[in-house]
Amino acid sequence: MTSTLFKKVDYSLSRLIHDIDNGEIGLPDIQRPFVWTAAKVRDLFDSMYKGFPVGFFLFWSNEHMTKTRQIGVDKKQHAIPRLLIVDGQQRLTSLYAVLKGKPVLTKDYRTQHIKIAFRPSDELFEVADAAIMRDPEFISDISQIWNSGKSIFKLTSEFLNRLNQAREVTPEEEEQISEAIAKLYDLQNFSFTALEISSTVDEEQVSEIFVRINSKGKQLNQADFILTLLSVFWDEGRKELEEFCRAARQPSSDGSATPFNHFIYPEPDQLLRASIGLGFKRARLKNVYSILRGKDLQTGEFSDERREEQFEILKAAHRHVLNLQNWHEFFKCLIRAGYRSSAMISSQMGLIYSYVMFLIGKIDCKMELNRLRKLIAKWYFMVSITGRYTGSPETVMERDLARLREVKDADTFAKVLEKIIEDELTNDFWNISLVNDLETSSSQSPAFYAYYAALNLLGAKVLFSDMKVSELLDPALRSNRSPIEKHHLFPKNYLKSIGITSRREINQVANYTSVEWTDNTKIADQSPAEYFPKYAQKYSEDELKQVMEWHALPQGWEQMDYFTFLEERRKLMSKVIRAGYEQLNKD
């Protein structure tokens, strides 16, 4: 008979909270941050109130592990907990935070109070907002039921007194409300089942159990699996990833160097992919997970020595990925490619994988920085405009990295990337595929972003303005209205007046151009034949020719049939994008 590695134990909610407060139950570092929404916490309490099952907890009996986190932000009494939470962190954190009125740290590393309201008259749970906080029908924060130090009789009496001041409450209502509040108070006795894993089970086995159980609920990807291994075998690395991601979300208050940027708020799993791409030249994380566990992919055998060797490779790559100089030098490549901010990034995966290419060129192939910047700018332009890493990103990147596994010099590295770029950006791509890609109304179109990048590269000015597109796309500019706006060349209401009402047809990207918001307001609903001749008078003949080239305006466009205009402008937009890309080569 197969022996089990766990035992079944029943807990009341009050006992669970008591054991957390006393430090008997702790949170191991193999867990993810608190990610539940307040609405999900509300639903948890609603289910418990109705007597529904809400799942079990999985604990690990702890006799040797000391690296633990805590629930909430207050220090616990005991340094080493008796039990560690392996599965059920989100539920238990929610319960603890609400019953004790304690703040928790979110995945963005911010302190947050979870406030759940309860309306006894109809036994309704809601997430507390400003209106609910003022509504006498609600207990605006149910934490006070267990955490105020008052008896349930006194709390009920105070609630009924407030409600009676707002409206008349019948004796029957008072009885029903009192019963509802008593039932809410009694949730502290709600019964949970926990499975306690034996202390004889080691960290790697617990990590495996965690992975398997969570795979049956919220699906974890291979990056989650590897982050789990980091927590067990290299906790400092995971913490560095998390701290880097936190710091990337806000600028420094004292002017010191930080990962903050205008392109991406990275997640730990994204930076992990970059480390794995640099260190192992791999994109398929499934194999890397096995490698980091010390598995020989040929024999299937595991080895502690092999695991340590692979972690050393990962650690070295990790240092380069989190190096602030490398991080910000890479963003210069994006700026060099004409991309100015996250508003022009259609694929974060494309950005991260391009960062891997930058690091391989800089660290492994020792390419001179100016040369590398130009090469990666071209690479990113190609990656973005073709959507190279949007369909099957791991498969495509695995293929790209395979070409670089034996490359150790700058010239060969450049040849490999240039060949891929050349194979992608063919004449057929520019003249056919790109024109077809521009036939879209999607505001997230990579081709449309590339058009703006090309305008930046060409030093183009905003239509009807003396300001450059690149100047008004500066992410540092912030105001009530965007300094640059997408203008319908054929205004929406004008199109509707001539019978074109489909949003997809009206919002074609070929109907958009960039103008300053003041001009957008002035043009309003005028037809092109009305407003364009007035603005065209501002320019000399040569200036007008240049403006029309930049903004891909066909000759006599203002008099064209709308659909003919769209067709002709897509061709011209493709030419502008190509001219922008060729500017990278010229420079």
Side-chain angles (χ1 to χ4, degrees):
M1 183 177 180
T2 303
S3 61
T4 59
L5 299 176
F6 61 88
K7 64 180 179 180
K8 175 177 168 293
V9 181
D10 291 326
Y11 285 89
S12 67
L13 177 55
S14 60
R15 181 186 164 191
L16 286 171
I17 301 303
H18 177 271
D19 285 354
I20 292 171
D21 262 337
N22 286 339
E24 289 287 309
I25 297 176
L27 182 64
D29 283 333
I30 63 174
Q31 281 285 22
R32 294 166 290 173
F34 181 70
V35 297
W36 268 22
T37 63
K40 200 161 185 178
V41 179
R42 173 204 62 200
D43 293 344
L44 173 63
F45 275 88
D46 183 61
S47 294
M48 292 168 57
Y49 186 87
K50 293 174 179 175
F52 297 166
V54 292
F56 64 90
F57 296 113
L58 188 67
F59 294 145
W60 181 19
S61 180
N62 176 48
E63 294 181 357
H64 55 282
M65 188 175 177
T66 60
K67 296 186 297 182
T68 60
R69 295 178 187 167
Q70 62 180 40
I71 294 177
V73 294
D74 295 334
K75 298 296 182 183
K76 301 296 184 295
Q77 297 291 327
H78 302 290
I80 303 177
R82 179 180 63 85
L83 295 172
L84 304 177
I85 306 168
V86 177
D87 190 58
Q89 174 203 355
Q90 304 300 312
R91 278 169 291 136
L92 196 48
T93 301
S94 302
L95 294 167
Y96 181 82
V98 173
L99 263 74
K100 300 296 291 184
K102 300 284 188 181
V104 295
L105 292 176
T106 68
K107 65 177 182 178
D108 294 325
Y109 303 90
R110 296 177 181 175
T111 301
Q112 173 186 341
H113 277 89
I114 304 171
K115 292 187 177 181
I116 305 301
F118 178 68
R119 188 163 62 197
S121 59
D122 59 358
E123 302 175 305
L124 176 70
F125 288 88
E126 289 285 7
V127 177
D129 59 19
I132 287 175
M133 297 290 285
R134 296 190 299 268
D135 191 340
E137 296 283 347
F138 277 94
I139 298 172
S140 60
D141 183 359
I142 62 175
S143 296
Q144 62 185 285
I145 294 292
W146 306 281
N147 201 46
S148 65
K150 300 177 182 179
S151 69
I152 189 61
F153 174 80
K154 185 171 180 60
L155 286 170
T156 303
S157 177
E158 289 177 350
F159 176 81
L160 288 171
N161 286 338
R162 286 196 305 272
L163 188 57
N164 269 302
Q165 291 174 12
R167 67 173 177 85
E168 183 180 353
V169 183
T170 67
E172 292 78 11
E173 280 186 296
E174 285 196 4
E175 182 178 356
Q176 187 270 323
I177 288 171
S178 298
E179 290 177 354
I181 295 176
K183 184 177 177 181
L184 175 64
Y185 177 75
D186 199 45
L187 286 184
Q188 63 185 317
N189 297 317
F190 190 90
S191 180
F192 289 91
T193 296
L195 304 179
E196 293 184 6
I197 303 173
S198 169
S199 62
T200 59
V201 176
D202 63 24
E203 289 97 328
E204 188 169 358
Q205 287 176 296
V206 172
S207 173
E208 187 71 21
I209 293 171
F210 169 74
V211 165
R212 291 183 181 222
I213 288 179
N214 276 278
S215 294
K216 296 175 183 176
K218 179 177 179 179
Q219 187 67 38
L220 298 180
N221 57 38
Q222 294 295 334
D224 291 314
F225 298 174
I226 296 173
L227 286 170
T228 299
L229 288 180
L230 290 190
S231 296
V232 173
F233 298 113
W234 185 37
D235 180 51
E236 311 89 80
R238 176 161 184 169
K239 287 182 176 177
E240 287 171 1
L241 287 176
E242 292 172 344
E243 174 59 25
F244 191 94
C245 293
R246 183 200 65 78
R249 281 162 166 73
Q250 54 189 5
S252 168
S253 58
D254 59 5
S256 59
T258 75
F260 176 77
N261 65 91
H262 291 290
F263 290 97
I264 186 173
Y265 292 163
E267 296 293 341
D269 65 296
Q270 293 174 321
L271 297 176
L272 178 65
R273 285 183 179 276
S275 296
I276 287 168
L278 175 62
F280 299 103
K281 306 298 184 294
R282 297 280 183 179
R284 290 195 183 97
L285 299 190
K286 181 178 181 179
N287 289 339
V288 177
Y289 174 62
S290 297
I291 291 171
L292 288 175
R293 293 178 63 210
K295 183 178 182 180
D296 186 315
L297 297 182
Q298 302 298 322
T299 66
E301 296 179 354
F302 289 87
S303 161
D304 290 341
E305 292 77 11
R306 186 178 297 107
R307 182 184 66 215
E308 291 173 4
E309 290 171 1
Q310 302 303 333
F311 261 95
E312 288 304 315
I313 294 173
L314 181 63
K315 289 177 183 179
H318 170 93
R319 288 191 292 271
H320 293 305
V321 168
L322 301 192
N323 180 285
L324 289 180
Q325 194 67 36
N326 293 338
W327 182 245
H328 289 294
E329 283 293 344
F330 168 68
F331 293 128
K332 292 179 185 178
C333 299
L334 302 192
I335 294 172
R336 181 67 190 79
Y339 293 81
R340 297 302 304 270
S341 71
S342 60
M344 298 177 68
I345 305 300
S346 59
S347 166
Q348 291 192 350
M349 187 69 82
L351 186 151
I352 291 296
Y353 279 162
S354 294
Y355 184 38
V356 173
M357 292 301 185
F358 171 84
L359 291 171
I360 291 173
K362 182 176 186 290
I363 306 303
D364 292 349
C365 300
K366 306 295 188 295
M367 180 175 281
E368 187 269 329
L369 191 56
N370 286 332
R371 183 185 180 192
L372 178 62
R373 187 179 298 154
K374 176 181 175 180
L375 176 62
I376 297 302
K378 291 173 60 179
W379 176 263
Y380 183 76
F381 197 99
M382 179 277 294
V383 165
S384 180
I385 196 173
T386 61
R388 185 170 184 81
Y389 299 120
T390 54
S392 301
E394 283 194 355
T395 300
V396 177
M397 186 59 171
E398 186 79 15
R399 187 165 60 242
D400 290 344
L401 289 174
R403 304 183 193 189
L404 296 171
R405 284 178 192 147
E406 304 303 322
V407 175
K408 298 298 179 185
D409 66 279
D411 288 341
T412 307
F413 175 74
K415 287 179 182 178
V416 171
L417 265 61
E418 292 279 11
K419 182 64 167 61
I420 295 173
I421 294 171
E422 181 183 333
D423 289 344
E424 288 290 331
L425 303 184
T426 63
N427 283 329
D428 281 348
F429 172 79
W430 294 115
N431 298 327
I432 300 174
S433 299
L434 182 56
V435 175
N436 291 336
D437 290 343
L438 287 165
E439 189 175 354
T440 178
S441 60
S442 171
S443 60
Q444 306 295 315
S445 166
F448 193 45
Y449 290 149
Y451 173 67
Y452 274 97
L455 292 178
N456 291 336
L457 291 169
L458 295 170
K461 292 181 179 180
V462 175
L463 187 61
F464 311 139
S465 171
D466 60 357
M467 296 288 289
K468 289 184 177 180
V469 173
S470 59
E471 294 170 339
L472 294 184
L473 285 178
D474 188 333
L477 293 178
R478 291 287 186 270
S479 62
N480 291 335
R481 291 191 66 164
S482 173
I484 187 172
E485 294 187 348
K486 287 191 297 185
H487 162 63
H488 289 79
L489 288 163
F490 281 67
K492 291 184 286 186
N493 287 337
Y494 167 72
L495 289 175
K496 290 177 181 177
S497 74
I498 60 174
I500 299 173
T501 58
S502 166
R503 291 180 62 183
R504 185 183 184 280
E505 293 174 345
I506 291 173
N507 294 331
Q508 284 287 304
V509 298
N511 192 27
Y512 284 129
T513 195
S514 56
V515 298
E516 291 195 63
W517 71 268
T518 50
D519 291 317
N520 202 17
T521 301
K522 289 177 184 177
I523 293 169
D525 301 330
Q526 298 178 62
S527 71
E530 290 179 88
Y531 74 80
F532 185 68
K534 300 174 188 176
Y535 280 95
Q537 293 175 5
K538 296 173 52 178
Y539 301 108
S540 69
E541 184 177 341
D542 289 342
E543 287 173 337
L544 182 59
K545 179 181 178 182
Q546 180 63 81
V547 166
M548 292 185 69
E549 285 182 4
W550 281 334
H551 292 276
L553 299 176
Q555 194 66 37
W557 71 274
E558 69 274 21
Q559 302 290 343
M560 282 184 175
D561 166 76
Y562 177 60
F563 295 104
T564 302
F565 160 76
L566 292 178
E567 185 176 347
E568 293 303 313
R569 188 164 188 250
R570 290 183 194 113
K571 298 174 185 176
L572 295 179
M573 289 174 74
S574 177
K575 290 181 178 180
V576 172
I577 297 170
R578 187 172 191 174
Y581 171 74
E582 289 174 350
Q583 188 67 42
L584 291 174
N585 280 324
K586 290 178 184 178
D587 292 345

